[in-house]
């Protein structure tokens, strides 16, 4: 998936007001994923994304997972986006949905494995029917 397509899908699913808002949401979410999963796993994920987004996941190679819950994840993304957490949660769900379609299924399954049960709402129903291939 190309960068423009990724951002367009995030903007649509999140019902964002602007492309810039969708870009901020995507970068903030990916940077927080980078903080949550091991650096090596983040590197693997980055390799399957457009270069403009892969950079958000690099820089923690060799570092272990950091264990924080979904609420803390949302707060961290919210601070990066500088918006309120309710809107952030919508953005995060949109990014996860697009991410699921942007990477190989086995890579998304590996990513899912790094998150605790309280994140399940982020890994909800398959968005493939919502996002054209």
């Amino acid at each position: 998936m190309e960068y423009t397509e990724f951002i367009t899908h995030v903007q649509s699913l999140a019902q964002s007001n602007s492309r810039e808002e969708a870009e901020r949401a995507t970068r903030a979410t990916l940077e927080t994923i980078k903080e949550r999963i091991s650096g090596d796993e983040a590197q693997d994920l980055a390799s399957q994304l457009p270069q403009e987004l892969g950079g958000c996941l690099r820089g923690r190679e060799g570092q272990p997972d950091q264990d924080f819950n979904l609420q803390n994840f949302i707060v961290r993304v919210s601070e990066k986006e500088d918006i309120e957490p309710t809107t952030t949660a919508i953005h995060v769900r949109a990014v996860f949905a697009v991410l699921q379609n942007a990477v190989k299924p086995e890579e998304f399954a590996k990513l899912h494995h790094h998150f605790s049960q309280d994140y399940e709402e982020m890994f909800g129903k398959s968005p493939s029917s919502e996002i054209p291939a």
Side-chain angles (χ1 to χ4, degrees):
M1 184 179 289
E2 298 295 322
Y3 176 77
T4 302
E5 183 182 9
F6 194 105
I7 297 301
T8 299
H9 288 314
V10 170
Q11 183 177 354
S12 174
L13 289 174
Q15 300 179 353
S16 295
N17 295 323
S18 69
R19 177 179 174 78
E20 293 76 22
E21 182 180 54
E23 288 175 324
R24 270 192 316 276
T26 300
R27 291 183 188 288
T29 301
L30 291 175
E31 288 170 3
T32 307
I33 288 172
K34 175 180 75 174
E35 295 168 4
R36 177 65 178 76
I37 66 175
S38 72
D40 295 336
E41 183 62 36
Q43 178 67 30
D44 290 347
L45 186 60
S47 71
Q48 294 193 27
L49 294 175
Q51 185 176 352
E52 301 92 329
L53 297 176
C56 297
L57 292 162
R58 292 190 173 92
R60 287 193 64 241
E61 293 73 21
Q63 299 291 317
D65 287 16
Q66 290 186 33
D67 190 21
F68 50 85
N69 65 24
L70 176 60
Q71 182 178 354
N72 199 333
F73 188 97
I74 298 294
V75 167
R76 288 177 185 223
V77 176
S78 178
E79 290 170 354
K80 289 176 176 70
E81 279 194 86
D82 196 26
I83 61 172
E84 49 93 19
T86 304
T87 302
T88 298
I90 294 166
H91 291 174
V92 169
R93 279 188 201 95
V95 173
F96 270 76
V98 177
L99 195 57
Q100 183 173 4
N101 284 283
V103 301
K104 294 177 184 172
E106 57 273 11
E107 187 62 42
F108 194 76
K110 282 177 27 183
L111 174 68
H112 190 172
H113 181 73
H114 285 274
F115 288 86
S116 56
Q117 187 66 31
D118 63 320
Y119 285 86
E120 281 308 303
E121 66 184 88
M122 297 300 132
F123 293 94
K125 69 179 178 106
S126 173
S128 57
S129 60
E130 300 171 29
I131 300 174

